[in-house]
Every structure is written in C-alpha cells, then in structure tokens.
Amino acid sequence: MATATPPVPGEPTGTPEPTPAAAPSNSLSNTLTAESALTPAAPALEARPADPDDAVPTAKTGTLMERVQEWRKKNELLEMAAFFFIGFIYDVVTLSRIDDTLTMVQQFVYLGVLATLLVLEQRHPEGTEPPKALAKVWKWREDAIHFFFGSLLSSYTLFFFKSASGLTAFLFLVLMFGLMVANELPHFRQIGPVVRVALFSLCVSMYFSYVLPVVIGKANFWVFLLAQVLAGGAIFGVMKLLRRWNVLDQLQAIRQIALPGFGVLVALLLFFVVRVLPPVPLAVTFSGIYHAVEKKGGAYHLSHQPKWWKFWHKGDQDFAARPGDKAYYFFSIFAPKGFDSYSVNVRWYHDHPSKGWTNVSTVPLKILNKGIERGYRTFAYTSNPKPGDWRVVVETEDGHEISRLSFSVEEDTSAEPRQFEVFVHDPDKKPEPVAQKK
C-alpha cells in the first residue's frame, strides 16, 4: 500500500524536482534527445513539389563556331552535297570558252591547291596537330577538297561532253557524274588517299589533254601522249614529296599513290587509242539535215520541212525524198583560237535491210578555223538517199568521232508543190525562220 510523507514544517510546498537518472558516459544521443524534448517544436514547413528544372544541370551556351561544328557533324552528307553542287553550279555559271586564258589559269590554281591539300592531309592526319599556317581554317579542308574536285570535274564533264556524241557522250557523262558522286560518299573517303589520288590524276590528265591542244594548235595522239606524261610527272612529284617527308614508306607509296595515279593515266591512254575519248577541244556546235543549203553573204539559208509536233528537231530528220533530191548535212565546228587548219571526214551510213549499217560515202572537208564562237560552218550532201534509217558522222582524220546525227528517209510520192521553211544561220545570231518558199 502506498503512503505519503507529510511536508516538513517551514518548507514551501510545490512540485518536487525530478531526480535525474544516471546516464552512461557515452549517452550524447540520449542527452540531445532529452534537450530536444525540452525545446519547443518548430512549426512544420509546408511541403512543396520540387521544380524539375532544378534537377537538370545548366549547360553552357556554345559559341557560334561550336554550334556550326555541331551542325556539321549531324548533317555531314547534306554538307558534302551542298559543297558539291555549289562547286558544280559555280562552274556552270562562270565557265567560259575552252580556250579562255583566265579559265586555264584558274583551273591550274585549283589543281595546285588540291595537290597541296592532299599532301598536307597525309602529313597531318586526323588527330594530329594541323599545319601552323592553316590552323584556323584546317577544319574546312574537307569542304575545300570537295569544292575543288566538284568544280574541276564539272568543267571537264562539260568540255568533254561537247566533244563527244552518241553513246560515247552518254557513257562519258555517266562516268564523270559517277566519279563526282563517289568523291562525296563516306565509304570511298574511308578507303584513304587511293580514291582521291585517282580523281586527282584524272583531273590533271584532263587539264593537260585540253590545254596542250589549245596552246600547240593541234589535237592528235602525240599531243595526248604528252599530256599523260606531264600528268604522270605531277603524280610522281606528289609521291616523292611524301617519301621525302617520311609520311609513306615505299610500299605504301606504291599502293596508295603510284597504282591509282598511274593506273588512271594508262587507262585514259588506252581509251584514246581505241577512240572512246572524244577529240577535245573540237566540238560541233550546230548540225542538221536539210533539203537545200544556200550561202548568201555571210549567212546560210537552210530549207527544210518541219513537223510541228517534233519541235526539238533542227532540220529534216524525217526527210521526205523525191527523185533527184539531195540530203544536205550542214554543221558548224568549233576549234580554239590559233588552232591550225585541219581536215574532217563526213561519213554517210545507211541501214541496209540485209547488210546492216553500210558506209555509203565519205566526204573529206578542210576546216579553216577562225576561232568563231559558233564555229566554222560548212556542209556535205548525198544524192538520191534511199528510204530507211540513216546516220551521218563527223570524224577527225585519225578516226575520232566528233558528232553524229541520225535521220530517216521516207519516199514522197506526192506531186503537190512543196513548202519549205527557211532558217538563216548567221555566225553572230541564233538560227531563226524568216520565210516560206516552194
């Protein structure tokens, strides 16, 4: 049973002090707990959701150049295509005559810059310190190489295409376009300098192949051979320079420089011998089949019977023949200023029902070059052409085809008077209809 102790007389009455319990010597946490219990509790803070942006570290805003480089990495193919077409369009817009001195000098500079970039790229590969003089612009070397290759290859495509004809022209155009596209594909670029050396060799060869005839005034096998020798000298110089700098050992120099570089030159020489390559810089700028050709003053009057729905024909490619008619082949042929006089052969071929394509006649013509923009004008004809398919071909003396034109002959049994449209071909003007005659 519990008992209470009565208070002592004279002492104040009140609540007795609690006797603290004995705490162990290492009871710091208990002491803090006790003090916390004696300290009034702080009011609870209202819980708020965290801002999600606070969890994302703030990125430093890149400079304009850094943003440009980032865009280039993400759009590498688009960038390559852009520089390729910029070079092509620039060349189409600015390209002048093949014998223009400024054009020849400009392309020589382009080849020199390309050779320098290709050599420096081998000496300073990716991941190494760039050349000091080009440190600020070294990152743009790929774009520069694409631009110069695109510009040069497009120039040579236009020059050589003008001098080619028929299937040869089409195949040559496809080949050149394929090379220009291959130059931009990452797969070919990863092979190393092999593809670029081959393209460079092709560009140097084509440059000398059209410049030397312009300078010498002749176009034949020996001039083309000299062009290949000079191009080979350029490839040999690149190889020796890389060997001197110890960039490539002897085996690498042979595999990466000699084989692709000299291989292209040998192939081009073979193509020239078998008459696949066109005879640059000669080019037929205008041609057509007509019923009559008359020279009046400095102009030629060309008579033909056009069909309104074949508006793309320049003459009587559908030749309606009556007894005694002559089929005239009128053409103008361009050669550079200072080019020597030369001869061409105009060959007439008929698709015989049993013999196939047969050479009916060959007409040699002397071309007295005058460096006229639209070319030297002349013509040849064949009498009483038989019905069927025909082809007229202009060749150099050594058999290189400059131009060909196909047409068909139909027998005209009508006795009605014929109406001919007359075109006037003037060296300083476009041919245009001026009259109708019977």
Side-chain angles (χ1 to χ4, degrees), residues 117-135:
L117 290 175
L118 294 177
V119 169
L120 290 178
E121 193 176 45
Q122 293 302 305
R123 191 178 187 184
H124 302 273
E126 192 70 32
T128 62
E129 184 179 355
K132 295 181 180 180
L134 302 174

Side-chain angles (χ1 to χ4, degrees), residues 227-261:
Q228 305 315 298
V229 171
L230 293 178
I235 300 301
F236 182 76
V238 170
M239 184 173 63
K240 290 294 291 184
L241 186 59
L242 292 175
R243 289 284 292 119
R244 179 177 297 180
W245 285 347
N246 294 322
V247 176
L248 302 175
D249 58 33
Q250 185 173 0
L251 184 59
Q252 289 175 325
I254 293 175
R255 289 179 176 178
Q256 299 183 17
I257 307 298
L259 287 179

Side-chain angles (χ1 to χ4, degrees), residues 345-349 391-395 401 403-405:
N345 293 319
V346 178
R347 301 185 183 276
W348 297 85
Y349 293 91
R391 179 188 301 160
V392 57
V393 178
V394 181
E395 296 178 351
E401 185 177 309
S403 177
R404 70 167 57 194
L405 181 64

Side-chain angles (χ1 to χ4, degrees), residues 22 56 129 136 189 214 220 226 255 263 274 292 294 316 323 339 360 388 416 431:
V56 180
E129 184 179 355
K136 294 184 178 180
R189 293 169 55 203
V214 171
N220 53 40
L226 178 59
R255 289 179 176 178
V274 298
E294 301 176 75
D316 281 319
F339 209 78
V360 176
E416 297 291 329

Side-chain angles (χ1 to χ4, degrees), residues 219-228 269-270 272-273 398 400:
N220 53 40
F221 170 78
W222 299 109
V223 175
F224 188 83
L225 179 61
L226 178 59
Q228 305 315 298
L269 187 60
L270 177 62
F272 186 87
V273 171
D398 57 359
H400 281 81

Side-chain angles (χ1 to χ4, degrees), residues 211-371:
V211 169
L212 287 184
V214 171
V215 174
I216 297 175
K218 294 181 180 180
N220 53 40
F221 170 78
W222 299 109
V223 175
F224 188 83
L225 179 61
L226 178 59
Q228 305 315 298
V229 171
L230 293 178
I235 300 301
F236 182 76
V238 170
M239 184 173 63
K240 290 294 291 184
L241 186 59
L242 292 175
R243 289 284 292 119
R244 179 177 297 180
W245 285 347
N246 294 322
V247 176
L248 302 175
D249 58 33
Q250 185 173 0
L251 184 59
Q252 289 175 325
I254 293 175
R255 289 179 176 178
Q256 299 183 17
I257 307 298
L259 287 179
F262 294 118
V264 168
L265 301 182
V266 172
L268 290 175
L269 187 60
L270 177 62
F271 289 157
F272 186 87
V273 171
V274 298
R275 301 171 184 174
V276 172
L277 286 182
V280 176
L282 304 179
V284 169
T285 59
F286 180 90
S287 64
I289 299 294
Y290 300 95
H291 271 81
V293 175
E294 301 176 75
K295 186 176 182 180
K296 297 182 179 180
Y300 282 87
H301 289 238
L302 314 174
S303 302
H304 67 123
Q305 294 176 296
K307 292 184 177 181
W308 65 269
W309 56 277
K310 290 190 175 182
F311 55 88
W312 61 91
H313 282 177
K314 299 177 182 178
D316 281 319
Q317 273 80 327
D318 296 305
F319 194 92
R322 292 183 179 181
D325 277 351
K326 296 178 180 178
Y328 288 83
Y329 175 67
F330 174 86
F331 66 101
S332 57
I333 185 168
F334 170 84
K337 294 175 292 187
F339 209 78
D340 291 344
S341 299
Y342 57 98
S343 297
V344 298
N345 293 319
V346 178
R347 301 185 183 276
W348 297 85
Y349 293 91
H350 176 241
D351 190 7
H352 194 276
S354 58
K355 299 179 181 179
W357 288 103
T358 305
N359 184 201
V360 176
S361 63
T362 299
V363 182
L365 294 175
K366 188 73 172 179
I367 306 300
L368 305 175
N369 178 61
K370 298 179 181 179

